[in-house]
């Protein structure tokens, strides 16, 4: 008996599935099935059913092109999900979509087919029949559009906890979860819209308005909320009327009479496009054009009213439009629709016939026209160019409802994805368990949808509040006549501000003695930006960024330093390397010819040390090139300072030694001992040690470090923060002090024998040194960024080349190209000439002093001048009556010069 009962139930529900639901549908099988309810027509024919015969199904009339676009949005979203490798992999979504014809009866007829299939699955009849090929349960429904239709559908689906996500039902009554348990939506509730309408009326200071609403679950709650808001603002409503598309003509005329006789000029309408259309038609017939319309979202962008023939009445309408969204790839999908490619979508045939005003072959409507029940239309092939047709279907500039449909489908898919990836112990069901995606039921999907929170492909957050509603977001539009073809253009609210909008890249500036609504647009300062209109202030770019030319965004600054790869850095590096090679070449020449007189005469040991220090000077300049690091910043100044002090110390000791030797009247062993080689190196060490201690104290107390300078526009200079400019001043100042002392000694000994000392050239080199470093100080403090390092490198190279060239190039020239001058005789002659000159000057000074003493005594004998520096002769007597004249003799000691000169003059002994 139980078996027969189940068998009868199965047959009954199978019959229901086969007969219930409109015959025309879009259907495709899948692992999981979604339902869809869309208004393919604006209404049904009105027939008087007197029940004299079997009642017939009402016929849907007035094709809705936008409704077909909404349906296509659902199919596009499902195909996109099925083609995704990350969202619901290995699971195929199917769909069953029906036409509601914008009426409750047709919507319920379609909904019964969803419910019936789910009821069969809940009976679990697998043991009595093979149900592997049956249609799976509908786990969620997308729709419907109008609030009145959704209310009826929600009552039925809620009994079975089948989730319903509406894309266009905004009635605030649907937020009642006690009555509508499974209803959700992707459109804001009218609660926000009614308040916004009242705010606009208050803003324009209107206090006498007319209110019109649809006589259904959309219009009545909406206008009720609006009236409450108006009462709180002390604004009066002269007339409050209800309207429907099924009103009789006399009802419409009576309503228009009351509106025409009212002194209120503002009409607030909470109604759908089909409901308000009869009212607009009658007002157009009467040419009532002195009214301002405030439109709710249900008809603010409808193609039923936005017609050129209605524009004289509704021009200037202020409406609330839903937030528009982007659906990548949807434009191409809409353009690819054809009857031959859409076997799963039976609505395409009617769409094609309505678009091209024709009939396809094997069309039921063609047969009806042949029987005279419909108007005649020509045949069409189904291959007509859809892009050449004028149809609201292709109006994809502002996707509002279509975007809501797209979001609804992806919300269901994301809920299924959360179920698929659920981890046992973290689920939403009893004992934190997870649902089985292979045996998923509608109530489980509803539970998951209530906890949904994800970001869609456009990066927008999607979630539902405790009433399963999204956040309110509207765009205010204004109806204008297009100057091109006279059609309706939806624009923003008419401009009525004291000042023009400030574009991105500018900010609002205060105008003195003017209200705050009046402002001037001031361009953002350098390093600041604004990325939206009417910015009150400009935002400062981060330290590592700078504003672009239009001040609308920031870009990363370019990082600069004295690089090895830039031409300037390459040139300085090549000069440094050239200096190292030239110095090494000179050192090689001196080592090879170390036993020649000119190398010996220049104190070759100190010359080697001097050349080594010059190599260090040239090499230290390389540390200034490249990206500054902490270690290079700490190394480069001490390396430069110590190298130069070592160089100047060698020149100072060398020059001072020669000066003391030549100016000593009687060179002794003490001079030779005092100016021995060990003492010379000791003095060089002591002079250099002072510089080393300056560097040690500097590095200990205030060590330099790399520093990113953000103060320059568009560029970040990586430089070295020297830590203490005083320490740098001591380092350079001490070097200059030694150079000044060296210059003094070199200038004093500039006339000494040239082959023996290079004092004259040292004088020139010190002059070059002072010129370079005196010029360096203002140049260093007046430059910035990488040019600071470049200035110091140039100063190092210039002074180093000056020392190398002045001190050594002349000697290298003589050694290599004038070897005849590099002989002991040349050195002796030069030294002897200098010695004779010194002796003659000494003799003249001594003679002058003797004459002065003789004059003061007053003697009568005239004595001949006699001077002896050191007289050495082997002859004790001279021939009688003759003067013996001896030639001077010059001898050289080791390391010093010993000079002996002798003069004799005969005396006449005759006395008278």
């Amino acid at each position: 008996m139980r078996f027969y009962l189940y068998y009868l139930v199965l047959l009954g529900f199978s019959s229901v599935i086969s007969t219930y639901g409109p015959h025309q549908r879009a259907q495709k099988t899948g692992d999981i099935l979604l339902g869809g309810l869309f208004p393919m027509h604006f209404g049904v024919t009105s027939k008087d059913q007197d029940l004299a015969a079997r009642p017939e199904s009402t016929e849907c009339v007035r094709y809705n092109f936008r409704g077909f676009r909404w349906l296509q949005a659902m199919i596009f979203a499902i195909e996109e999900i099925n083609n995704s490798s990350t969202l619901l992999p290995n699971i195929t979504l199917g769909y069953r979509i029906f036409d509601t014809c914008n009426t409750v009866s047709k919507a319920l007829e379609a909904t019964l087919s969803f419910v019936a299939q789910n009821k069969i699955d809940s009976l679990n009849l697998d043991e009595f029949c093979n149900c592997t090929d049956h249609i799976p349960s509908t786990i969620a429904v997308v729709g419907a559009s109008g609030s009145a239709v959704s209310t009826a559908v929600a009552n039925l689906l809620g009994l079975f906890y089948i989730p319903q996500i509406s894309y266009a039902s905004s009635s605030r009554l649907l937020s009642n979860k006690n009555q509508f348990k499974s209803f959700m939506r992707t459109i804001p509730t009218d609660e926000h819209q009614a308040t916004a309408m009242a705010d606009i009326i208050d803003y324009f200071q209107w206090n006498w308005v007319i209110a019109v609403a649809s006589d259904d679950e959309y219009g009545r709650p909406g206008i009720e909320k609006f009236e409450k808001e108006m009462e709180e603002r002390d604004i009066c409503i002269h007339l409050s009327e209800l309207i429907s598309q099924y009103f009789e003509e006399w009802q419409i005329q009576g309503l228009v009479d009351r509106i025409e006789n009212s002194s209120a000029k503002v009409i607030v309408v909470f109604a759908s496009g089909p409901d308000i259309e009869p009212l607009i038609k009658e007002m157009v017939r009467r040419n009532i054009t002195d009214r301002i319309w405030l439109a709710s979202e249900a008809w603010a962008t409808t193609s039923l009213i936005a017609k050129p023939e209605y524009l004289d009445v509704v021009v200037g309408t202020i409406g609330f439009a839903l937030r528009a969204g982007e659906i990548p790839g949807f434009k191409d999908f809409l353009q690819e629709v054809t009857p031959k490619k859409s076997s799963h979508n039976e609505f395409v045939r009617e769409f094609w016939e309505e678009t091209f005003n024709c009939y396809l072959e094997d069309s039921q409507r063609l047969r009806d026209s042949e029987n005279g029940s419909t108007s005649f239309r020509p045949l069409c092939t189904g291959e007509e160019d859809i892009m050449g047709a004028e149809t609201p279907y292709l109006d994809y500039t502002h996707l509002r409802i279509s975007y809501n449909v797209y979001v609804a489908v992806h919300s269901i898919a994301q809920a299924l994805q959360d179920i698929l990836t659920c981890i046992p112990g973290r689920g939403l069901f009893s004992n934190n368990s997870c649902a089985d995606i292979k045996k998923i039921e509608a109530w489980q999907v509803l539970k998951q949808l209530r906890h949904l929170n994800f970001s869609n492909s456009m990066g927008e957050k999607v979630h539902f509040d405790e009433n399963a509603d999204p956040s309110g977001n509207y765009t205010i539009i204004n109806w204008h006549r297009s100057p091109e073809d006279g059609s309706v253009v939806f624009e923003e609210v008419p401009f009525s501000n004291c000042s023009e909008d400030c574009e991105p890249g500018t900010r609002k500036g205060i105008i003195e003695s003017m209200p705050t609504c009046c402002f001037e647009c001031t361009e953002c300062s350098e390093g600041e930006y604004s990325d939206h209109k009417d910015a009150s202030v400009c935002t400062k770019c981060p330290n590592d960024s700078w504003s672009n030319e239009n001040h609308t965004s920031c870009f990363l600054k370019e990082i600069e330093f004295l690089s090895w790869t830039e031409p300037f850095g390459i040139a300085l590096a090549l000069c440094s390397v050239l200096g190292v090679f030239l110095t090494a070449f000179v050192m090689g020449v001196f080592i090879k010819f170390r036993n020649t007189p000119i190398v010996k005469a220049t104190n070759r040991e100190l010359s080697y040390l001097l050349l080594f220090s010059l190599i260090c000077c040239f090499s230290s300049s390389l540390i200034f090139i490249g990206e500054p690091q902490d270690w290079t910043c700490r190394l480069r100044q001490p390396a430069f300072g110590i190298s130069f002090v070592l160089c100047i110390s060698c020149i100072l000791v060398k020059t001072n030694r020669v000066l003391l030797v030549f100016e000593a009247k009687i060179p002794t062993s003490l001079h030779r001992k005092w100016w021995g080689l060990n003492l010379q190196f000791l003095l060089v060490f002591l002079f250099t040690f002072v510089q080393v201690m300056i560097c040690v104290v500097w590095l200990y107390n205030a060590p330099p470090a790399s520093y990113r300078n953000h103060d320059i526009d568009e560029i970040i200079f990586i430089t070295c923060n020297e830590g203490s400019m005083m320490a740098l001043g001591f380092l350079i100042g001490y070097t200059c002090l030694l150079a000044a002392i060296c210059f003094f000694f070199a200038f004093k000994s500039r006339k000494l024998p040239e082959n023996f000392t290079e004092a004259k050239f040292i004088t020139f080199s010190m002059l070059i040194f002072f010129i370079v470093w005196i010029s360096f100080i203002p140049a260093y403090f007046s430059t910035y960024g990488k040019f600071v390092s470049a200035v110091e490198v140039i100063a190092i190279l210039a002074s180093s080349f000056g020392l190398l060239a002045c001190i050594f190039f002349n000697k290298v020239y003589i050694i290599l190209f004038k070897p005849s001058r590099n002989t002991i005789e040349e050195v002796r002659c030069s030294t002897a000439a200098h010695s004779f000159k010194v002796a003659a000057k000494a003799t003249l000074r001594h003679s002058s002093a003797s004459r002065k003493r003789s004059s003061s005594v007053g003697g009568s004998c005239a004595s001949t001048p006699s001077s002896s520096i050191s007289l050495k002769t082997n002859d004790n007597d001279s021939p009688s009556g003759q003067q013996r004249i001896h030639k001077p003799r010059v001898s050289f000691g080791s390391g010093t010069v010993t000079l002996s000169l002798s003069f004799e003059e005969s005396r006449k002994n005759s006395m008278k």
Side-chain angles (χ1 to χ4, degrees):
M1 186 68 181
R2 182 169 173 267
F3 172 79
Y4 287 109
L5 178 61
Y6 278 120
Y7 181 73
L8 291 174
V9 171
L10 176 62
L11 289 177
F13 275 107
S14 299
S15 176
V16 167
I17 294 175
S18 62
T19 58
Y20 263 88
H23 174 71
Q24 195 176 25
R25 67 188 67 180
Q27 181 171 304
K28 189 175 183 180
T29 60
D31 300 324
I32 298 176
L33 202 63
L34 305 184
L37 298 173
F38 294 90
M40 296 293 99
H41 299 82
F42 284 111
V44 296
T45 57
S46 178
K47 291 185 178 180
D48 184 14
Q49 302 286 358
D50 58 3
L51 302 181
R54 181 183 179 87
E56 296 181 357
S57 177
T58 54
E59 181 184 357
C60 298
V61 294
R62 301 167 65 200
Y63 191 78
N64 184 2
F65 289 95
R66 294 177 68 218
F68 180 66
R69 185 174 75 232
W70 303 342
L71 180 147
Q72 289 285 83
M74 178 175 178
I75 296 176
F76 171 79
I78 291 176
E79 292 185 359
E80 183 181 65
I81 295 167
N82 288 338
N83 294 329
S84 174
S85 60
T86 57
L87 188 58
L88 297 179
N90 302 323
I91 294 178
T92 304
L93 296 182
Y95 54 84
R96 295 177 69 202
I97 304 175
F98 297 102
D99 179 12
T100 65
C101 299
N102 204 33
T103 60
V104 172
S105 60
K106 289 291 184 182
L108 289 176
E109 185 180 350
T111 307
L112 281 174
S113 66
F114 302 145
V115 175
Q117 182 61 52
N118 285 31
K119 192 61 179 176
I120 291 176
D121 290 345
S122 67
L123 293 176
N124 194 17
L125 302 177
D126 292 345
E127 58 180 303
F128 301 104
C129 65
N130 181 10
C131 300
T132 57
D133 296 331
H134 82 290
I135 301 174
S137 298
T138 302
I139 56 95
V141 175
V142 178
S145 58
S147 295
V149 176
S150 287
T151 300
V153 171
N155 281 318
L156 183 55
L157 293 178
L159 294 175
F160 302 92
Y161 292 94
I162 300 176
Q164 172 192 358
I165 303 182
S166 175
Y167 48 83
S169 300
S170 59
S171 173
R172 63 189 183 94
L173 297 181
L174 290 168
S175 298
N176 185 352
K177 295 300 106 179
N178 292 326
Q179 183 177 359
F180 307 104
K181 300 179 179 63
S182 63
F183 179 82
M184 310 177 80
R185 52 187 162 192
T186 55
I187 182 176
T189 176
D190 289 333
E191 189 85 13
H192 307 296
Q193 187 174 191
T195 303
M197 282 185 167
D199 289 338
I200 287 181
I201 293 173
D202 188 25
Y203 175 80
F204 288 111
Q205 298 183 357
W206 298 327
N207 58 11
W208 195 236
V209 299
I210 299 172
V212 179
S214 294
D215 190 11
D216 55 22
E217 284 77 2
Y218 169 72
R220 289 192 298 268
I223 208 67
E224 179 184 341
K225 174 65 175 177
F226 173 75
E227 290 174 350
K228 182 180 179 180
E229 293 289 337
M230 296 291 280
E231 183 178 353
E232 293 178 357
R233 291 168 174 77
D234 295 327
I235 300 174
C236 301
I237 298 178
H238 185 209
L239 295 175
S240 182
E241 302 286 344
L242 297 177
I243 194 172
S244 171
Q245 62 174 316
Y246 302 110
F247 269 15
E248 299 291 339
E249 185 177 352
W250 63 269
Q251 293 176 295
I252 297 296
Q253 291 179 351
L255 175 58
V256 174
D257 288 339
R258 292 190 292 275
I259 292 176
E260 187 175 17
N261 295 328
S262 173
S263 58
K265 302 300 181 182
V266 177
I267 305 175
V268 179
V269 180
F270 249 102
S272 62
D275 286 337
I276 194 63
E277 186 183 21
L279 175 63
I280 299 297
K281 281 185 176 180
E282 181 62 22
M283 296 192 71
V284 169
R285 190 185 67 82
R286 299 190 187 188
N287 196 26
I288 303 175
T289 58
D290 58 341
R291 298 296 190 273
I292 298 174
W293 298 82
L294 198 58
S296 65
E297 45 78 27
W299 72 280
T301 58
T302 179
S303 58
L304 284 177
I305 309 301
K307 297 179 179 179
E309 56 267 27
Y310 296 163
L311 196 54
D312 289 339
V313 172
V314 297
V315 68
T317 296
I318 299 174
F320 287 82
L322 297 175
R323 173 179 52 88
E326 294 289 335
I327 307 178
F330 187 50
K331 175 182 177 181
D332 297 333
F333 180 80
L334 293 178
Q335 296 173 357
E336 292 172 356
V337 61
T338 60
K340 296 181 180 180
K341 295 181 180 179
S342 305
S343 59
H344 298 287
N345 190 349
E346 298 176 3
F347 296 106
V348 175
R349 295 179 62 86
E350 184 179 2
F351 161 74
W352 205 264
E353 292 176 348
E354 291 296 330
T355 299
F356 297 102
N357 194 26
C358 63
Y359 289 134
L360 295 167
E361 293 182 353
D362 300 330
S363 173
Q364 178 63 38
R365 302 174 72 189
L366 176 60
R367 291 190 290 270
D368 293 339
S369 66
E370 292 175 351
N371 296 331
S373 59
T374 59
S375 59
F376 174 77
R377 293 182 181 180
L379 287 174
C380 48
T381 62
E383 297 180 355
E384 286 78 9
D385 183 14
I386 188 66
M387 296 302 297
E390 294 184 4
T391 169
Y393 168 76
L394 295 178
D395 183 14
Y396 35 68
T397 53
H398 299 288
L399 298 176
R400 306 180 192 278
I401 301 295
S402 300
Y403 181 71
N404 286 351
V405 173
Y406 180 81
V407 172
V409 175
H410 271 269
S411 298
I412 298 172
Q414 186 62 44
L416 294 173
Q417 177 72 13
D418 293 342
I419 293 174
L420 178 65
T421 58
C422 177
I423 300 175
R426 298 183 182 178
L428 300 177
F429 304 99
S430 59
N431 299 323
N432 296 325
S433 61
C434 299
D436 186 357
I437 192 68
K438 296 180 180 179
K439 299 179 181 179
I440 192 69
E441 296 185 41
W443 65 270
Q444 294 172 322
V445 179
L446 177 61
K447 176 71 171 179
Q448 200 72 45
L449 281 169
R450 289 178 177 176
H451 293 80
L452 190 66
N453 191 344
F454 74 103
S455 297
N456 61 16
S457 59
M458 300 304 296
E460 297 179 345
K461 289 286 186 181
V462 178
H463 70 279
F464 302 96
D465 60 18
E466 64 276 5
N467 296 323
D469 295 329
S471 58
N473 197 333
Y474 294 97
T475 299
I476 300 177
I477 62 173
N478 190 232
W479 291 26
H480 289 268
R481 188 188 300 273
S482 172
E484 299 176 358
D485 55 7
S487 62
V488 179
V489 177
F490 302 128
E491 297 183 358
E492 300 298 320
V493 176
F495 180 79
S496 181
N497 295 337
C498 179
S499 303
E500 295 284 347
D501 293 339
C502 289
E503 296 297 325
T506 62
R507 63 174 178 82
K508 294 190 292 186
I510 298 175
I511 303 177
E512 294 184 4
S513 70
M514 294 293 289
T516 56
C517 297
C518 302
F519 50 83
E520 59 182 358
C521 297
T522 305
E523 187 177 11
C524 292
S525 303
E526 295 296 329
E528 297 181 347
Y529 74 100
S530 64
D531 55 1
H532 59 278
K533 288 187 175 182
D534 286 341
S536 300
V537 294
C538 295
T539 305
K540 186 176 180 60
C541 292
N543 283 339
D544 60 347
S545 302
W546 195 252
S547 57
N548 61 3
E549 184 178 357
N550 297 326
H551 301 281
T552 56
S553 62
C554 296
F555 62 90
L556 292 177
K557 291 182 178 180
E558 181 181 356
I559 296 178
E560 282 197 6
F561 51 87
L562 187 59
S563 172
W564 292 99
T565 58
E566 63 177 291
F568 195 27
I570 294 174
L572 293 177
L574 289 177
C575 290
S576 300
V577 173
L578 176 62
V580 171
F581 277 112
L582 288 177
T583 308
F585 173 75
V586 173
M587 180 177 286
V589 171
F590 267 53
I591 292 175
K592 183 177 181 180
F593 297 95
R594 59 185 177 277
N595 294 322
T596 60
I598 199 168
V599 175
K600 288 182 176 181
T602 56
N603 198 334
R604 58 188 174 189
E605 288 79 8
L606 279 180
S607 295
Y608 296 155
L609 184 59
L610 175 58
L611 288 169
F612 171 75
S613 65
L614 283 175
I615 291 177
C616 294
C617 291
F618 284 115
S619 301
S620 67
S621 63
L622 295 173
I623 309 176
F624 289 81
I625 305 174
E627 181 177 353
Q629 306 290 338
D630 287 346
W631 69 271
T632 57
C633 291
R634 293 185 175 99
L635 178 63
R636 64 182 193 173
Q637 297 293 4
F640 141 71
I642 294 173
S643 299
F644 263 89
V645 165
L646 180 61
C647 178
I648 301 299
S649 299
C650 292
I651 299 173
L652 175 60
V653 171
K654 191 170 161 185
T655 306
N656 192 39
R657 172 181 173 275
V658 175
L659 180 63
L660 290 176
V661 170
F662 271 90
E663 287 192 347
K665 296 182 179 180
I666 303 177
T668 64
S669 60
L670 180 64
H671 289 89
R672 291 193 294 272
K673 180 179 179 181
W674 181 252
W675 284 106
L677 189 60
N678 292 334
L679 183 59
Q680 297 173 36
F681 282 109
L682 176 62
L683 290 176
V684 171
F685 170 77
L686 291 176
F687 290 145
T688 307
F689 180 74
V690 174
Q691 185 77 307
V692 171
M693 293 307 300
I694 292 174
C695 295
V696 170
V697 174
W698 181 8
L699 294 177
Y700 180 79
N701 292 321
S706 62
Y707 168 70
R708 289 177 175 257
N709 187 353
H710 298 274
D711 298 336
I712 309 301
D713 300 350
E714 303 182 15
I715 297 175
I716 297 177
F717 284 120
I718 303 181
T719 59
C720 284
N721 182 1
E722 302 299 350
S724 173
M725 296 305 297
M726 181 180 294
L728 179 61
F730 274 117
L731 184 141
I732 298 177
Y734 178 69
T735 306
C736 293
L737 174 63
L738 291 181
I741 298 173
C742 184
F743 173 77
F744 171 75
F745 288 133
F747 181 80
K748 193 173 182 180
S749 58
R750 68 189 184 281
K751 296 182 180 180
L752 293 178
E754 294 184 356
N755 283 349
F756 189 77
T757 179
E758 56 271 68
K760 182 187 300 183
F761 296 105
I762 292 176
T763 304
F764 293 150
S765 66
M766 292 298 104
L767 284 175
I768 295 174
F769 184 88
F770 280 118
I771 293 173
V772 169
W773 289 101
I774 290 174
S775 303
F776 163 78
I777 294 175
Y780 182 86
F781 288 101
S782 62
T783 54
Y784 56 89
K786 65 180 181 181
F787 302 107
V788 174
S789 299
V791 166
E792 192 160 358
V793 171
I794 293 173
I796 293 173
L797 294 178
S799 54
S800 299
F801 274 114
L803 293 174
L804 179 65
C806 291
I807 297 175
F808 291 102
F809 281 5
N810 181 54
K811 303 221 174 0
V812 172
Y813 174 77
I814 294 174
I815 292 171
L816 296 180
F817 302 105
K818 299 290 184 179
S820 60
R821 295 178 58 186
N822 189 14
T823 60
I824 190 65
E825 290 79 9
E826 184 73 16
V827 174
R828 286 176 176 176
C829 290
S830 175
T831 306
H834 176 75
S835 299
F836 279 123
K837 185 184 298 184
V838 171
K841 288 183 178 179
T843 301
L844 290 176
R845 287 196 298 270
H846 183 73
S847 299
S848 177
S850 298
R851 283 195 299 270
K852 290 180 180 179
R853 287 196 297 270
S854 299
S855 299
S856 62
V857 174
S860 59
C861 295
S863 62
T864 59
S866 175
S867 177
S868 176
I869 296 176
S870 178
L871 181 60
K872 293 182 180 180
T873 180
N874 294 325
D875 299 328
N876 295 325
D877 299 316
S878 58
S880 177
Q882 293 183 350
Q883 180 180 0
R884 182 76 176 268
I885 301 175
H886 297 275
K887 294 183 179 179
R889 182 170 56 189
V890 181
S891 64
F892 297 90
S894 175
T896 61
V897 177
T898 302
L899 179 62
S900 297
L901 297 175
S902 176
F903 294 91
E904 286 284 344
E905 188 176 293
S906 62
R907 295 186 177 183
K908 294 182 179 180
N909 296 321
S910 61
M911 296 184 63
K912 295 186 179 178

